Amino acid sequence: MSTHLTHLSAPDGVAPSPQYSHVVWGTGRFVAISGQCSLDASGAVVGEGDPGRQARQIFWNLRRCLAAAGAGFGDVVKLTYFVTDVAHLPAVREARDEAFGAAPLPASSAVQVSALVRPELLIEIEAYALVPDGSQTASPDGS
């Protein structure tokens, strides 16, 4: 667990959720990761028609983007999910849980959209992170 972040499951008067933290705060260097889609390094869609494969590829892409900024999933404070069908959210949560492991879940929002930038894409996810001051660029696995 990252010691520079505090996660609050639910403030008084707000229903708790096992799927995210309502409030996350901390100190450090702010990192914004643009919405990631299920594209491989060459720009080809991974998992066309398969929300589980797309979600896993997206979290792999997020891992690499976070690592480039010296961060990992334990530094993420907010995720925003854009899905073409809310029925894809269980697959997104499964891939997220695999990626985050024991790290506390960040704050999050989910939005159903009519379309993404390419018709084969089902999911896009953006992330915000707070990286401890003095962190160096991490390896692609986010460590």
Side-chain angles (χ1 to χ4, degrees), residues 49-87:
D50 183 340
R53 284 188 61 211
Q54 287 199 16
R56 285 188 299 279
Q57 179 65 41
I58 291 167
F59 278 99
W60 174 249
N61 291 349
L62 286 169
R63 179 184 312 274
R64 295 185 65 79
C65 290
L66 288 163
F73 286 113
D75 300 307
V76 173
V77 296
K78 176 75 164 65
L79 292 171
T80 305
Y81 309 109
F82 302 95
V83 295
T84 57
D85 187 332
V86 294

Side-chain angles (χ1 to χ4, degrees), residues 6-33:
T6 300
H7 293 77
L8 181 59
S9 173
D12 289 340
V14 176
S17 173
Q19 298 299 330
Y20 55 87
S21 298
H22 278 281
V23 183
V24 181
W25 68 90
T27 59
R29 185 169 38 88
F30 179 75
V31 177
I33 307 294

Side-chain angles (χ1 to χ4, degrees), residues 3-142:
T3 58
H4 67 288
L5 299 177
T6 300
H7 293 77
L8 181 59
S9 173
D12 289 340
V14 176
S17 173
Q19 298 299 330
Y20 55 87
S21 298
H22 278 281
V23 183
V24 181
W25 68 90
T27 59
R29 185 169 38 88
F30 179 75
V31 177
I33 307 294
S34 292
Q36 296 296 302
C37 296
S38 62
L39 303 176
D40 66 15
S42 68
V45 173
V46 173
E48 187 170 344
D50 183 340
R53 284 188 61 211
Q54 287 199 16
R56 285 188 299 279
Q57 179 65 41
I58 291 167
F59 278 99
W60 174 249
N61 291 349
L62 286 169
R63 179 184 312 274
R64 295 185 65 79
C65 290
L66 288 163
F73 286 113
D75 300 307
V76 173
V77 296
K78 176 75 164 65
L79 292 171
T80 305
Y81 309 109
F82 302 95
V83 295
T84 57
D85 187 332
V86 294
H88 302 324
L89 287 174
V92 170
R93 289 183 188 120
E94 183 177 328
R96 178 211 54 205
D97 291 348
E98 290 172 10
F100 273 75
L105 294 177
S108 67
S109 300
V111 181
Q112 182 171 316
V113 296
S114 61
L116 293 168
V117 68
R118 290 173 55 175
E120 318 91 302
L121 299 173
L122 305 173
I123 304 162
E124 181 173 330
I125 304 171
E126 66 182 19
Y128 299 124
L130 278 176
V131 183
D133 291 328
S135 290
Q136 301 299 312
T137 301
S139 64
D141 70 356

